[in-house]
Amino acid sequence: MSERFHERFPDYDVLDKWDSPSWNDQTRAVVNRRLHQVPDRRFLSEAEWQILEAVCERLIPQPDRRDRPVPIVPFIDEKLFKNQGDGYRFEAMPPMRDAWRRGIAAIDDEARARWGGGFRELPANQQDAVLRAIQHNDTRSAAWQGLSAKRFFSNLLLREVVSVYYAHPAAWSEIGFGGPASPRGYVRLGFDRRDSWEAEERYAR
Amino acid sequence: MPASPRAKDGRAPDVFRPGGWIPMRCRRDEDEVDFAIVGTGAGGGTLACKLAEAGFSVVALDAGPYWRPLEDFASDEYEQRKLFWLGERITGGDDPVQLGDNNSGQSVGGSTVHFQMVSLRFRPDRFKARSRLGYAVDWPIEPEEMWRYYDLTEDALKIAGPVNYPWGPPRGRYPYRQHEMNAAGLILARGCEALGVKWAATPLATISAPRGKAHPCVYRGFCKFGCSTNAKQSALVTWIPWAIEAGAEIRDLAMVGRIEVGPHGKVTGLEYHREGQWRRQRAKNVVVAGYAIETPRLLLNSACPQFPDGLANGSGKVGKFFMVQSNHAVYGTFDEEIRWYKAPPSLAICEHWNYAETGKDFPGGYAFMSQGPLPIEWAGTITGQRGLWGMELRNEMAKYNHQAGLKIVGEVLPQEKNRVELAGETDEYGLRIPRVVFSYGEEDRKLYRHSIRFMSAALEAAGGRDIWSAEDTAHLGGTCRMGSSPNDSVTNADGRCWDIPNLWICDGSLFPTVAGVNPSLTIQALAWRIGDRIRELGRRGEL
């Protein structure tokens, strides 16, 4: 699998619109918190946090911004600390906080069962193999007892990781998303039409 | 989120002015009001307005906050999760339904605060599915009557739509002109024209011209996450202020836990939690309008010695015949830039398969519409359906501006085994939480498979490549079906419970069938009709 991100919008930064009519005060307040008040660890243990960090590095690799990766784990920790659920849970799944605690422990135990080392100690390709096995319910660790590996991976872990990542302006910029658009909105709606405040694509592939 | 209620002490938020207020007549808990309504969405909001206009004293309670969209709504998917019903629910069955942001709102205005404004009519025959089309059950209301209420509701909400709608019996032109088409909608148009079926601009509850204090839709595309300009004609900016103007009281952040029953088997009021304490509102009539999960949950949680199986449940049908709509989709990549984040997500529609009777192998119908998911939703679709992650996911996401898709609202047939019941666990109020059980039937599967074949062909004809399909559900229905007999339904055609004459239901729970169209317009038309019926019954002394 390619480990390179194919940049399409190198000249576009959605934050350039910060002071434009596309952003209003409410949106600036929300995004400002996200950028500059990254939550501290309050729910996960230090060890759980670090395992989850390693998992996120595989689920959303960010080799192109090694110095300043988009933070993901802090926002998951905040959601768990506040116990903000998604409004449902699948039958035979434990409540959200339990599911995350047990899921993180089970990822680490799955790594040991397969490769004889904790998840963080494995090279990237073995980490990926562990995650892929979990995704497909093909697990060896007994730690998945009472916790569907597939459901945990798809409906909690991956869903939340991508929700946090694609809530970040850096992610909006890299996909050419217009981002916040109130009150100005958009004018040009047709094929290949672009308002001057939208991203210009450089390298389509 | 407001931590404490805003609608109190003689005033309610003015949704059209940041920090503004409007006067509101307030009642005391010990006043016996004519109607206490639980829920203020498409059903409860509309009915509160109609009953207040008829001169009844009305208190409508909602578990959610009372927003002022101009000051409370950010252009942000993550932040705006605050609009959804995020209380714990358990989901099971062979095809467990994703709840939360998929179909459940928690605001004054209910799910209309986050709905995508698609305002469609049932094909008339669908109200008589059993007698005219040979499947499911009939509604206890004549199609012509529902279509008269559609006329009224579309005008009240200034629905923006085409001059000539291409399917079904003639209807007048829509009150406001149709919206300009975006590229995502033009993809649908291309596909339909290539396959020889009609298409149209989707009738939408977002204004295309100024109305009162709201200016036209600016095409910012965050409709599912709350309209920050008030172009969206949600209950929050229409029925609710109109209801207050007519004398109704709205109570926000008021979670109703129990309906009380008096010694003569009639309801006497309800218990609700607000500002940290349980309170009791006396009422001559109670209306439950919490949608297809919370409505049966409240009826079941109100079980008492006189009604040990829950209120209005003599038939045993409370919570039964739970329905969703299939929401399957196809997506593809296009050479052109589509930029589907712009404008309301479903600007173009094809209702061909709601009206055609040949070329299909299933009894119900479906509509399909163009799509415009924002990044978090799109990432959720790609990961949930295709299992992508890693750099592969980031690179796939980078094609965002070249994607287009078509998605159905498909009719799911009523099955008694699909249901809402109470789980053993309780929530923070000490109320038992709901358990939702859902499995598709064989006819439902035929419908969505047909739709995937048809839409894939349409997308390919429109120039799409790398086409793939996704499954999902949308909307809720059933669980307190209305009918013609107390043996197999919970209420009569007026939403009046067979077992308790001063207990009413007014929301999508009443639907005996859901058809292949988004439910909000039908819920509002039905609520308007129920309001008129109550006024008439009151005039005759039959309340």
Side-chain angles (χ1 to χ4, degrees), chain B residues 257-276:
Chain B
R258 183 177 192 81
I259 298 166
E260 295 182 324
V261 179
H264 303 295
K266 295 177 80 173
V267 301
T268 55
L270 43 78
E271 287 177 42
Y272 67 101
H273 193 271
R274 198 184 196 206
E275 295 187 285

Side-chain angles (χ1 to χ4, degrees), chain B residues 324-535:
Chain B
V324 292
Q325 288 172 313
S326 45
N327 203 209
H328 292 62
V330 299
Y331 298 103
T333 304
F334 290 78
D335 290 335
E336 297 99 329
E337 288 187 341
I338 308 293
R339 298 182 186 266
W340 57 357
Y341 53 83
K342 293 189 280 191
S346 296
L347 278 173
I349 186 168
C350 175
E351 275 210 72
H352 179 81
W353 295 108
N354 272 329
Y355 286 85
E357 284 303 328
T358 56
K360 62 203 267 283
D361 57 348
F362 54 89
Y366 66 85
F368 65 89
M369 284 160 258
S370 55
Q371 294 299 303
L374 297 188
I376 294 177
E377 185 181 359
W378 180 234
T381 301
I382 291 181
T383 55
Q385 302 291 328
R386 296 167 64 189
L388 299 190
W389 48 271
M391 199 56 90
E392 192 181 8
L393 171 66
R394 278 184 67 197
N395 282 319
E396 183 67 20
M397 283 295 293
K399 300 176 190 166
Y400 181 69
N401 284 349
H402 289 270
Q403 306 289 333
L406 305 171
K407 194 172 204 183
I408 63 166
V409 169
E411 180 165 14
V412 158
L413 303 191
Q415 300 183 70
E416 185 157 4
K417 66 174 186 176
N418 289 333
R419 63 193 185 273
V420 173
E421 58 194 18
L422 297 179
E425 288 172 46
T426 55
D427 66 9
E428 71 268 34
Y429 303 105
L431 303 170
R432 289 173 70 185
I433 67 170
R435 175 171 178 265
V436 179
V437 180
F438 180 76
S439 308
Y440 281 118
E442 200 41 49
E443 306 288 15
D444 306 330
R445 294 186 196 283
K446 285 186 197 161
L447 182 150
Y448 68 65
R449 286 180 191 135
H450 180 281
S451 78
I452 289 169
R453 286 194 299 273
F454 190 82
M455 293 190 297
S456 298
L459 213 53
E460 191 172 353
R465 51 191 158 75
D466 304 331
I467 292 167
W468 53 281
S469 67
E471 56 182 36
D472 197 358
T473 68
H475 312 129
L476 308 171
T479 71
C480 289
R481 55 159 48 173
M482 56 183 181
S484 305
S485 157
N487 297 325
D488 60 7
S489 61
V490 177
T491 80
N492 68 11
D494 301 333
R496 190 174 205 172
C497 294
W498 294 112
D499 300 353
I500 303 178
N502 65 339
L503 178 62
W504 310 72
I505 292 166
C506 183
D507 62 23
S509 319
L510 292 172
F511 284 25
T513 55
V514 291
V517 299
N518 310 49
S520 60
L521 187 74
T522 303
I523 296 172
Q524 293 171 88
L526 185 60
W528 193 324
R529 181 186 178 279
I530 289 172
D532 281 357
R533 286 290 301 153
I534 288 174
R535 182 203 295 240

Side-chain angles (χ1 to χ4, degrees), chain A residues 26 89 91 188 198-199, chain B residues 70 339 341-342 425 435:
Chain A
Q26 328 41 338
R89 74 172 202 260
E91 214 159 33
R188 294 162 187 83
E198 294 184 78
Chain B
L70 299 178
R339 298 182 186 266
Y341 53 83
K342 293 189 280 191
E425 288 172 46
R435 175 171 178 265

Side-chain angles (χ1 to χ4, degrees), chain A residues 2 4 6 8 26-27 34 59 61 64 88-89 91 135 166 174 176 182 186 188-189 192 198-199 201, chain B residues 70 75-76 88-89 91 98 183 218 228 337 339 341-342 387 389-390 394-395 398 401-402 425 435:
Chain A
S2 163
R4 195 170 74 78
H6 302 295
R8 288 170 181 251
Q26 328 41 338
T27 304
R34 195 169 299 151
L59 296 179
D64 45 333
Y88 62 97
R89 74 172 202 260
E91 214 159 33
Q135 178 176 24
Y166 287 101
E174 79 178 25
S182 191
Y186 301 102
R188 294 162 187 83
L189 304 181
D192 293 319
E198 294 184 78
E201 186 164 352
Chain B
L70 299 178
S75 290
D76 191 81
E88 189 86 313
R89 292 159 164 177
T91 185
Q98 298 199 20
V218 297
S228 64
E337 288 187 341
R339 298 182 186 266
Y341 53 83
K342 293 189 280 191
W389 48 271
R394 278 184 67 197
N395 282 319
N401 284 349
H402 289 270
E425 288 172 46
R435 175 171 178 265

